Amino acid sequence: VTAPEEPPPKTFEKLPSTETQPQPTTTTESQSQAATAVPEGPVTVQTFHASLSPHGTWYDTTEHGWVWRPRVGYGWRPYSSSGRWIYTSHGWMWRSYHRWGWAPFHYGRWFVHPSLGWSWVPGTSWAPAWVSWRHTGGHVGWAPVPPGYTTYTSATAHPLIHNSHWVFVPGVHLVSPRAYRHAIYSSHPT
């Protein structure tokens, strides 16, 4: 797995600046946003296991080995609800509102397991978000890149990303603290 070497296309920088967006208004939001910071020192799979176990279940799968399934409601998907996009010096970063968001949105990859739904495969390379981007007709779209995705090309979709995994919002809502309220989905894999 290789980390992205560049942020999404420069066209995204024309969207409203995150500096003009409202700051967190509740203690819970502030605390959970702080949880997305990069941990000090190297991370290991053991780090993830200990930190994520209280918030979900680990499963041993044939295809990917140990994967983690968060305890979330029906229709949940990674990089969609319970967080927001923020443009940083590293590129577009997903700022999760989940206490456990520091790990699975910045390390490893998400995929839809046929019986478990959205599941996370641990990885030790950090990125602001492991997603592929699309921009069309005033809308911005993103989808989690699956395990085995080794080339980062932000302008094109990866063939391993199923159409139902994409989330689109009008470009002006990309940096909204609740962009999911404006989201357009093809379907809701769980």
Side-chain angles (χ1 to χ4, degrees):
V1 175
T2 57
E5 295 177 8
E6 60 184 24
K10 297 293 183 188
T11 56
F12 293 104
E13 292 181 25
K14 295 179 182 174
L15 296 173
S17 167
T18 57
E19 294 173 12
T20 62
Q21 296 303 308
Q23 295 302 308
T25 56
T26 65
T27 303
T28 304
E29 232 178 276
S30 298
Q31 289 171 342
S32 62
Q33 285 188 9
T36 64
V38 180
E40 291 185 26
V43 296
T44 65
V45 173
Q46 291 78 14
T47 304
F48 299 134
H49 191 274
S51 296
L52 298 178
S53 290
H55 307 287
T57 305
W58 288 92
Y59 297 91
D60 191 6
T61 66
T62 305
E63 186 176 3
H64 299 294
W66 286 98
V67 302
W68 179 73
R69 168 84 164 90
R71 269 192 232 77
V72 290
Y74 177 80
W76 180 91
R77 57 173 68 210
Y79 304 104
S80 180
S81 60
S82 299
R84 67 184 292 186
W85 289 106
I86 296 177
Y87 194 75
T88 71
S89 61
H90 299 288
W92 285 103
M93 184 176 82
W94 181 253
R95 179 75 51 112
S96 176
Y97 298 153
H98 293 293
R99 289 185 178 272
W100 45 264
W102 69 270
F105 297 112
H106 303 289
Y107 298 91
R109 307 298 176 90
W110 288 95
F111 75 106
V112 177
H113 186 276
S115 58
L116 300 174
W118 281 108
S119 301
W120 178 72
V121 178
T124 56
S125 294
W126 184 88
W130 289 100
V131 298
S132 184
W133 294 92
R134 289 184 181 173
H135 185 244
T136 181
H139 286 77
V140 178
W142 63 90
V145 292
Y149 182 91
T150 57
T151 306
Y152 183 78
T153 306
S154 56
T156 58
H158 193 276
L160 294 177
I161 300 175
H162 192 274
N163 283 340
S164 66
H165 299 179
W166 287 91
V167 177
F168 285 88
V169 297
V172 297
H173 294 296
L174 178 64
V175 294
S176 167
R178 290 172 184 78
Y180 64 88
R181 291 182 178 172
H182 307 280
I184 301 166
Y185 304 103
S186 336
S187 67
H188 290 277
T190 57

